């Protein structure tokens, strides 16, 4: 027996114990905890991966998630912000870090410097070899639409360093300006292209 209670794309199937198939309405986008706004999969090398739409006040925060991100040559992964989606913050003290970094080789340290970009993890470079797993992580950008608060980016990241090694980081990057954020850019700090990887941008209620 098959019961079809609506079959539009905003409904999801529910399999009952009787083998019947019914459909439940998805929550409206405004009612969802996370709404997927954009997906980018890198198929050929690019200098940066940019997200510049969807950064509006209907969301309490923005969440950027990525996996399998590889540099063309081993390099450090980083982030930049933009107030308008076209000009990217790159001043000498635009970003302040409070990151705890560790690697399987046994060393670990905090990182608290100011810089021209937000280092997601600077303790060891991301290996360019796919078998090592690439960079995998997330950034939660709080208060992106607010114009009275500096912007905090909460970071979690892990990547393969080569020869079975790994490095991880967690903490925060602060963008030292109160203007609203309208874009996020992922790049490699030493200039290596982004050779592969998948990225997801969510609006968070």
């Amino acid at each position: 027996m098959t019961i079809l209670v609506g079959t539009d794309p905003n409904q999801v199937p529910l399999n009952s114990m009787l083998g019947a198939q019914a459909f439940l309405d998805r929550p409206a986008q405004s009612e969802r905890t996370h709404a997927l706004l954009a997906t980018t999969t890198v198929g050929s090398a690019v200098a940066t991966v940019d997200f510049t739409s969807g950064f509006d006040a209907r969301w309490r925060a923005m969440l950027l998630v990525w996996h399998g991100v590889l540099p063309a040559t081993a390099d450090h992964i980083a982030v930049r912000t933009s107030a308008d989606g076209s000009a990217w913050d790159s001043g000498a003290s635009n970003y302040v870090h409070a990151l705890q970094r560790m690697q399987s080789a046994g060393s670990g340290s905090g990182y608290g410097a100011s810089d021209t970009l937000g280092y997601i993890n600077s303790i060891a470079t991301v290996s360019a070899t796919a078998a090592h797993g690439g960079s995998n992580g997330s950034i939660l950008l709080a208060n992106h639409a607010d114009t009275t608060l500096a912007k905090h980016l909460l970071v979690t990241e892990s990547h393969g360093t080569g020869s079975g090694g790994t490095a991880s980081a967690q903490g925060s990057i602060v963008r030292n300006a109160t203007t609203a954020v309208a874009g996020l850019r992922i790049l490699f700090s030493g200039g290596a292209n982004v050779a592969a990887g998948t990225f997801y941008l969510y609006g968070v209620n």
Side-chain angles (χ1 to χ4, degrees):
M1 178 177 67
T2 300
I3 302 172
L4 299 178
V5 185
T7 57
D8 68 50
N10 289 317
Q11 295 182 318
V12 291
L14 173 69
N15 293 318
S16 76
M17 292 183 295
L18 299 176
Q21 186 176 50
F23 287 81
L24 295 178
D25 288 335
R26 292 185 190 274
Q29 180 166 283
S30 61
E31 299 171 348
R32 300 175 197 168
T33 303
H34 294 67
L36 180 62
L37 304 179
T39 302
T40 296
T41 298
V42 177
S44 57
V46 292
T48 64
V49 177
D50 298 347
F51 293 89
T52 58
S53 62
F55 291 76
D56 52 67
R58 60 186 161 148
W59 310 117
R60 294 187 178 97
M62 307 300 292
L63 176 65
L64 181 61
V65 179
W66 64 92
H67 63 81
V69 175
L70 297 173
T73 57
D75 206 341
H76 297 287
I77 191 165
V79 61
R80 278 195 169 120
T81 57
S82 173
D84 59 9
S86 59
W88 297 91
D89 300 317
S90 58
S93 57
N94 277 166
Y95 307 93
V96 176
H97 305 75
L99 297 173
Q100 182 61 41
R101 310 164 302 163
M102 299 187 70
Q103 60 179 327
S104 55
S107 62
S109 65
Y111 182 72
S114 298
D115 219 311
T116 60
L117 44 67
Y119 281 100
I120 295 170
N121 194 340
S122 61
I123 194 170
T125 57
V126 181
S127 169
T129 301
H132 297 155
S135 173
N136 308 274
S138 64
I139 294 173
L140 181 69
L141 168 61
N143 301 310
H144 63 283
D146 187 276
T147 57
T148 61
L149 300 170
K151 302 302 176 283
H152 286 246
L153 294 81
L154 310 181
V155 174
T156 301
E157 191 269 353
S158 177
H159 64 261
T161 59
S163 302
T166 185
S168 65
Q170 59 182 353
S172 65
I173 301 167
V174 177
R175 180 253 213 172
N176 279 320
T178 59
T179 51
V181 171
L184 288 174
R185 164 176 281 182
I186 297 295
L187 68 160
F188 285 99
S189 64
N193 281 341
V194 181
T198 302
F199 301 80
Y200 306 92
L201 180 69
Y202 295 87
V204 180
N205 283 325

